[in-house]
């Protein structure tokens, strides 16, 4: 296919890995993926909902145009200026990329003239206009966000509205914001607001086939949600991150169809040598002087674990939220996906196996439970949004305070206890020790101080109201509340396609970490407040419980008679978290209850037991190896593996394997040589970023 005299078009910063197109089996698998699976999964919205979105966007466009004309008139401009005054509404994100599904929000950007500002005109005047609009509900301004935004629902459709004031007195209806001149004389918040649209447009320009890109991205986004790794706010990847990764794979395999691209996605990113960056184009400098991602110049950029660089100036790392723990989880999920795709290509599995939901509550034996309480649903929505936006900090603080030895897996799903009479939701984090760390028997992780620090930061919420409470509890797997399971408290036997993390309990068994469930913990804490000397007895009592069938206390909520009682319960938990008990933060090596004085101590021995049987007698796989950040130790080994796979599955024909290996050593996983003005190749990233 590449035998012509003309060189094939290059879409990315490196040559494609393969120009081969599909064979009949690939086309059949693509049809099965798109028509039989994605459609049945409900990933495409109906024509009626699509029309309603267009109608809502039309109404919102008219509102912002009238808003700008009103402000122009009030400020004494001429009648002609008032007539010409304009605002332009753009979309970005999944809607602009064409991969949104039913119920998805619409990311929108309003671009206005230089004399209409964000602080007063947008967040006060336009906010008031929207508040008085009949079809607008759940209006929530977030002016202090990294990208200031107004969130609301318009006729039932979720809208995220940004604002950018450009250096123009009159904004033309055909404004092209892809031009760099639009960034002239604007602040960095405006640059970030504009870049959502600029990045989306650039992605669509840089992929070889837009429809193949869209189908593949829909598939990978759905997979990420099913596997619990779709959430920028909790340290995983969000929509733009997944779009950039998929776009890069499309560049590397320009003639591949979606079934091939899904398989190649996992093949490439299972072996990617993070923190080498993923880039769709070279990073360009500009005379405007905005900072761009460059770890040679910016020390903070050296600390990024999974750089995924935006393709529009100023180029930024879109995945700065990723931590060592969440990167580990994503690599494990990539390996799971790669294994299933290999089986699909050998007709040993179907697409449904790839999209099996991740059994999070079977993956660990120790968890943190974060309970969020408010007086009513509206307060809970605001309070939960604030807490959720800070959960990533709890992960980072635990990594910091345990020197990376205790790893967290924040799960980006919320759960609610329907038996509670107050507004409630809960988040969970899986806990495990770092693989390969040598420990001493009885060694502990004391994270009570870490949780205290986290709670202190949470309580700085400027819109806090009475009734907004937070509790963080250490719970064992057997104590997970029943309401997190869709069909009640039932533990399904793991399927044959369980990944390493779900098979393994070597790093996080339950022995030695007996603790109370959050609600029973609150009642016991209340009953024994100030009785520290009772702790040894309670620990001794627990030590007599059979380790095979330990006594567990299921969450109780029947005693909560009203919202006041519910909030009092949480307040008692808060005092427990903050060290209400004065027991020593370090527990004896022989203590079977390292969290009896306040459930914040996790014994290292408990996280390192070699017990290979669950509490229900289900055998667990002994191979518990957790991949490190460097999936492969050398570029050559990675290249050799990819070459062997390509030879076996991509019908390379006359392509010389040695030549491809040489090309791989230059191209694959080494996209760090395209820095500098005008895309001139430089000497690569600094040694600190080499894996």
């Amino acid at each position: 296919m590449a035998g012509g005299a003309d060189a094939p078009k290059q879409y990315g910063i490196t040559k494609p890995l393969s120009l081969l197109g599909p064979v009949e089996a690939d086309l059949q698998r693509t049809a099965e993926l798109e028509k039989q699976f994605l459609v049945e999964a409900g990933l495409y919205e109906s024509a009626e909902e699509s029309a309603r979105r267009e109608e809502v966007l039309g109404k919102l466009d008219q509102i912002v145009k009238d808003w700008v004309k009103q402000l122009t008139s009030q400020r004494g401009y001429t009648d002609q200026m008032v007539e010409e005054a304009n605002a332009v509404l753009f979309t970005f994100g999944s809607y602009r990329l064409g991969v949104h599904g039913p119920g998805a929000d619409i990311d929108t950007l309003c671009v206005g003239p230089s004399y209409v500002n964000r602080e007063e005109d947008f967040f006060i005047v336009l906010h008031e206009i929207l508040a008085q609009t009949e079809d607008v509900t759940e209006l929530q301004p977030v002016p202090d966000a990294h990208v200031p935004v107004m969130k609301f629902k318009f006729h039932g459709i979720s809208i995220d509205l940004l604002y950018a004031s450009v250096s123009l007195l009159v904004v033309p209806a055909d404004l092209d914001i892809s031009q760099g001149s639009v960034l002239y004389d604007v602040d960095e918040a405006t640059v970030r607001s504009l870049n959502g649209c600029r990045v989306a447009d650039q992605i669509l320009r840089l992929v070889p086939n837009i429809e193949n890109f869209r189908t593949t991205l829909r598939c990978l986004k759905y997979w990420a949600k099913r596997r619990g790794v779709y959430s920028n706010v909790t340290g995983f990847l969000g929509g733009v991150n997944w779009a950039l990764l998929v776009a890069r794979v499309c560049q590397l395999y320009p003639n591949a169809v979606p079934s091939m691209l899904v398989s190649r996605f996992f093949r490439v990113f299972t072996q990617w040598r993070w923190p080498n960056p993923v880039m769709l184009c070279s990073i360009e400098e500009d005379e405007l002087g905005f900072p761009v991602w460059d770890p040679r110049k910016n020390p903070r950029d050296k600390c990024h674990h999974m750089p995924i660089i935006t393709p529009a100036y100023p180029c930024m790392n879109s995945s700065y939220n990723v931590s060592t723990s969440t990167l580990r989880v994503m690599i494990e999920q990539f390996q799971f996906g790669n294994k299933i795709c290999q089986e699909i290509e050998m007709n040993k599995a179907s697409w449904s196996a790839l999209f099996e939901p991740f059994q999070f509550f079977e993956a660990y034996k120790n968890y943190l439970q974060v309970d969020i309480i408010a007086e009513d649903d509206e307060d809970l929505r605001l309070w939960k949004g604030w807490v959720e936006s800070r959960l990533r900090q709890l992960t980072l603080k635990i990594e910091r305070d345990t020197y990376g030895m205790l790893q967290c897996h924040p799960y980006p799903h919320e759960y609610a206890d329907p038996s509670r009479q107050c507004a409630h939701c809960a988040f969970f984090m899986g806990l495990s020790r770092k693989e390969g760390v040598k420990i001493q028997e009885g060694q502990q992780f004391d994270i009570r101080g870490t949780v205290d620090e986290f709670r202190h930061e949470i309580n700085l919420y400027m819109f806090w109201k009475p009734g907004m409470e937070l509790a963080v509890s250490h719970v064992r797997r057997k104590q997970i509340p029943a309401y997190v399971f869709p069909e009640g408290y039932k533990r399904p036997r793991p399927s044959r396609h369980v990944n390493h993390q779900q098979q393994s309990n070597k790093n996080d068994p339950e022995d030695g970490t007996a603790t109370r469930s959050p609600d029973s913990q609150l009642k016991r804490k209340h009953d024994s407040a100030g009785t520290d000397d009772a702790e040894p007895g309670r620990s001794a009592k627990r030590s007599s419980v059979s380790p095979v069938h330990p006594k567990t206390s299921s969450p109780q909520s029947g005693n909560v008679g009203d919202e006041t009682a519910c909030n009092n319960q949480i307040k008692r938990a808060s005092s427990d978290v903050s060290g209400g008990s004065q027991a020593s933060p370090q527990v004896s090596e022989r203590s079977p209850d390292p969290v009896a004085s306040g459930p914040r101590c996790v014994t290292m021995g408990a996280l390192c037991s070699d017990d290979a049987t669950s509490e229900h007698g289900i055998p667990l796989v002994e191979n518990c190896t957790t991949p490190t950040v460097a999936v492969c130790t050398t570029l050559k080994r990675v290249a050799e593996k990819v070459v062997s796979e390509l030879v076996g599955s991509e019908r390379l024909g006359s392509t010389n394997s040695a030549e491809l290996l040489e090309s791989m050593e230059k191209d694959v996983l080494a996209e760090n040589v395209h820095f500098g003005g005008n895309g001139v190749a430089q000497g690569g990233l600094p040694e600190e970023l080499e894996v």
Side-chain angles (χ1 to χ4, degrees), residues 1 23 64 89 214 273 372 471 478 502 619 647 684:
M1 290 187 178
V23 296
V64 297
L89 199 66
R214 285 173 171 163
R273 293 176 64 219
I372 305 167
K478 292 189 289 290
Q502 289 172 262
V647 171

Side-chain angles (χ1 to χ4, degrees), residues 365-368 402 406 431-433 442-448 474-475 507-509 512-513 585-587 593-595 598-608:
K365 291 194 176 180
N366 291 280
Y367 296 85
L368 287 183
T402 63
L406 182 61
L431 300 175
S432 64
R433 72 171 179 90
Q443 186 177 352
Q444 303 162 357
F445 293 115
D446 185 348
I447 57 174
R448 285 174 292 187
H474 168 213
V475 296
N507 293 341
D508 43 14
T513 55
Q586 294 300 326
V587 181
D593 185 10
V595 292
R600 303 297 160 261
C601 261
V602 183
T603 59
M604 184 70 117
L607 293 171
C608 305

Side-chain angles (χ1 to χ4, degrees), residues 118 164-167 177 179-195 198 283-294 297-298 301 310 312-317 676-677:
R118 180 187 299 108
S165 173
V166 295
S167 299
I177 60 175
Q179 298 297 316
S181 58
V182 76
L183 302 179
Y184 177 75
D185 197 25
V186 299
D187 59 21
E188 290 194 21
T190 299
V191 171
R192 291 192 291 269
S193 299
L194 287 165
N195 258 18
R198 288 161 52 82
I283 295 179
E284 302 286 345
E285 298 285 354
D286 193 282
E287 65 275 4
L288 293 176
F290 289 107
V292 299
W293 186 84
D294 189 344
K297 299 178 181 179
N298 308 320
D301 293 345
T310 56
Y313 175 82
C315 298
M316 307 173 187
N317 176 23

Side-chain angles (χ1 to χ4, degrees), residues 89-134:
L89 199 66
F90 296 90
T91 61
F92 61 102
S94 63
Y95 188 81
R96 174 69 184 94
L97 292 174
V99 295
H100 62 286
D105 61 1
I106 305 179
D107 296 310
T108 56
L109 167 70
C110 175
V111 177
S114 57
Y115 56 86
V116 176
N117 64 52
R118 180 187 299 108
E119 291 74 16
E120 296 178 359
D121 298 330
F122 180 72
F123 277 114
I124 296 178
V125 179
L126 181 59
H127 177 272
E128 185 62 27
I129 292 173
L130 291 172
Q132 296 175 2
T133 303
E134 183 178 358

Side-chain angles (χ1 to χ4, degrees), residues 426-670:
F427 290 92
F428 292 84
M429 293 183 177
L431 300 175
S432 64
R433 72 171 179 90
K434 185 176 181 180
E435 178 71 14
V437 175
K438 294 183 178 180
I439 56 94
Q440 298 176 353
E441 184 178 355
Q443 186 177 352
Q444 303 162 357
F445 293 115
D446 185 348
I447 57 174
R448 285 174 292 187
T450 308
V451 172
D452 282 348
E453 181 184 342
F454 170 71
R455 289 186 60 255
H456 174 74
E457 293 181 1
I458 291 295
N459 289 332
L460 296 178
Y461 182 48
M462 61 186 300
F463 301 109
W464 184 89
K465 296 179 182 179
M468 292 182 173
E469 302 293 346
L470 175 75
V472 181
S473 307
H474 168 213
V475 296
R476 297 165 63 191
R477 186 168 72 183
K478 292 189 289 290
Q479 297 169 309
I480 295 295
Y483 60 77
V484 307
F485 299 100
E487 299 177 358
Y489 200 80
K490 184 172 67 174
R491 299 192 181 281
R493 189 177 294 270
S495 71
R496 62 187 288 272
H497 291 299
V498 174
N499 65 328
H500 291 301
Q501 191 181 51
Q502 289 172 262
Q503 292 172 334
S504 169
N505 73 338
K506 188 172 183 177
N507 293 341
D508 43 14
E510 299 173 25
D511 299 344
T513 55
T515 184
R516 301 178 292 277
S517 64
D519 287 345
S520 62
Q521 164 204 331
L522 302 184
K523 289 193 283 290
R524 293 186 185 185
K525 182 68 181 179
H526 181 66
D527 295 340
S528 59
T531 58
D532 295 342
D533 54 351
E535 296 291 359
R538 289 163 63 184
S539 296
K541 183 176 181 179
R542 285 199 188 92
S543 67
S544 66
V545 177
S546 168
V548 178
H549 300 286
K551 182 178 180 180
T552 61
S553 51
S554 60
Q556 303 293 326
S557 54
N559 295 334
V560 182
D562 51 36
E563 293 181 1
T564 303
C566 187
N567 288 328
N568 288 340
Q569 244 186 356
I570 290 297
K571 288 177 182 177
R572 288 196 294 274
S574 300
S575 65
D576 193 15
V577 172
S578 60
S581 171
Q582 300 301 315
S584 169
Q586 294 300 326
V587 181
S588 164
E589 289 184 6
R590 297 182 179 274
S591 172
D593 185 10
V595 292
S597 63
R600 303 297 160 261
C601 261
V602 183
T603 59
M604 184 70 117
L607 293 171
C608 305
S609 168
D610 291 329
D611 176 26
T613 304
S614 73
E615 70 274 20
H616 294 295
I618 300 174
L620 299 176
V621 176
E622 295 181 359
N623 181 9
C624 306
T625 303
T626 302
T628 59
V629 173
V631 181
C632 297
T633 56
T634 66
L635 178 59
K636 185 172 182 179
R637 285 170 58 187
V638 172
E640 288 172 343
K641 183 174 181 181
V642 173
V643 168
S644 65
E645 291 178 349
L646 290 172
V647 171
S649 61
E650 286 207 9
R651 307 164 303 282
L652 286 177
S654 60
T655 304
N656 184 286
S657 297
E659 292 178 359
L660 183 57
L661 177 57
E662 181 180 356
S663 171
M664 288 286 296
E665 290 184 343
K666 295 178 181 178
D667 297 343
V668 142
L669 318 180

Side-chain angles (χ1 to χ4, degrees), residues 54-67 86-90 109-110 154:
E54 293 294 332
E55 180 184 355
V56 164
L57 287 174
K59 290 181 178 179
L60 182 59
D61 182 63
Q62 191 59 52
I63 288 174
V64 297
K65 282 177 165 55
D66 293 343
W67 163 62
N86 189 35
V88 181
L89 199 66
F90 296 90
L109 167 70
C110 175
F154 198 152

